Amino acid sequence: MIYVMSDIHGCDGRYRNILKQIKLKADDHLYILGDVIDRGPCGLNILRETMKKENITLLLGNHEHMMLEALADPDDADALWLWYRNGGKVTHEHFKHCTHAYRAEVLEYIRNLPINIEVSVNGTDYVLVHGAPLCTFSESSRSRTAREHAVWTRLGRNTPMIEGKMVIFGHTPTHHYLPDFPMRIWHGRDKIGIDCGCAWGADGRLGCLRLDDMAEFYSEEEV
């Protein structure tokens, strides 16, 4: 079975609740579309777990990207301010108390995270992304690089996608497409949004989609 979720943001209780529901087996695979860190207190622990599990693949999200940018140059106050403004302080405080070897291992892991992944399930081709497909980057994009475009872009309901493929994305909470609260997974014509606002408190939750039969799972924890 193939599962996708996104934007856990350190909410360990909600993450564990989903894992309990899906009962991930060794021959299953879980793709997490970025942003496991920041806002909630357990982001680094969840990230560390993805490093160890062969049947879990993490993609780069804008929060992991911000972490790299902020820590690449200790004198870059703007990068640190941006990270903190988006909930990165809790991650940074935890990170500063880790061993040098652990910090080096984590940063190397994040540097090598994939940006987009393509999978095919039951004859449907999916492109898994955090914000947007890399191939939609152009010189007219607001981002400086294709990498930034892929992790920061917010897709509109009618943003043109890739012909013949279904894009599954996180990053943009699904309340932008659906009026429902708590949020739920949004199914568009050529894209599926799965960021259900995990770090939003009672208005949000963690969503997970099983691609084999399109079954939806939602966290039942409040924190």
Side-chain angles (χ1 to χ4, degrees):
M1 298 291 183
I2 305 296
Y3 298 88
V4 289
M5 67 169 68
S6 188
D7 296 80
I8 302 170
H9 284 303
C11 298
D12 190 71
R14 290 181 167 178
Y15 177 57
R16 300 297 159 195
N17 184 263
I18 290 287
L19 292 181
K20 183 178 179 180
Q21 291 183 56
I22 66 176
K23 300 178 175 65
L24 195 68
K25 299 178 178 63
D27 57 350
D28 295 333
H29 206 96
L30 170 63
Y31 293 93
I32 303 175
L33 309 186
D35 285 8
V36 299
I37 60 170
D38 301 345
R39 297 190 176 132
C42 298
L44 281 182
N45 293 336
I46 298 170
L47 186 144
R48 179 74 169 177
E49 184 172 316
T50 70
M51 296 170 63
K52 297 178 178 179
K53 299 282 190 179
E54 292 185 1
N55 61 343
I56 298 179
T57 298
L58 175 65
L59 277 68
L60 183 75
N62 63 304
H63 283 258
E64 288 83 21
H65 185 266
M66 281 188 286
M67 180 179 178
L68 284 179
E69 292 286 296
L71 298 180
D73 181 358
D75 296 324
D76 190 344
D78 290 339
L80 185 63
W81 174 85
L82 179 64
W83 189 29
Y84 275 27
R85 183 185 177 212
N86 286 279
K89 185 175 182 180
V90 63
T91 305
H92 195 198
E93 289 300 320
H94 184 180
F95 192 73
K96 286 189 293 186
H97 290 89
C98 297
T99 66
H100 177 77
Y102 173 89
R103 285 180 286 175
E105 183 183 14
V106 166
L107 290 177
E108 182 66 15
Y109 173 67
I110 295 175
R111 287 189 196 100
N112 290 289
L113 290 177
I115 309 298
N116 291 175
I117 288 179
E118 296 193 24
V119 298
S120 182
V121 182
N122 294 334
T124 300
D125 295 325
Y126 297 94
V127 182
L128 311 182
V129 308
H130 179 67
L134 279 164
C135 65
T136 61
F137 174 73
S138 68
E139 291 185 0
S140 62
S141 299
R142 297 176 62 183
S143 301
R144 296 174 298 174
T145 66
R147 185 183 180 91
E148 288 187 3
H149 171 80
V151 300
W152 278 105
T153 297
R154 296 198 182 277
L155 296 178
R157 178 185 295 271
N158 299 312
T159 303
M161 284 292 98
I162 307 167
E163 186 175 353
K165 297 182 180 181
M166 179 66 72
V167 172
I168 303 181
F169 67 99
H171 186 50
T172 302
T174 59
H175 76 88
H176 287 275
Y177 315 102
L178 292 167
D180 301 8
F181 286 96
M183 292 179 236
R184 61 184 175 89
I185 293 168
W186 171 70
H187 294 262
R189 180 180 60 83
D190 55 3
K191 62 183 76 71
I192 301 172
I194 63 170
D195 176 4
C196 296
C198 185
W200 281 51
D203 286 336
R205 52 186 174 173
L206 184 59
C208 180
L209 181 65
R210 186 166 62 205
L211 300 186
D212 304 81
D213 58 3
M214 304 310 283
E216 299 177 8
F217 304 85
Y218 297 98
S219 60
E220 299 167 355
E221 296 287 334
E222 290 300 319
V223 292

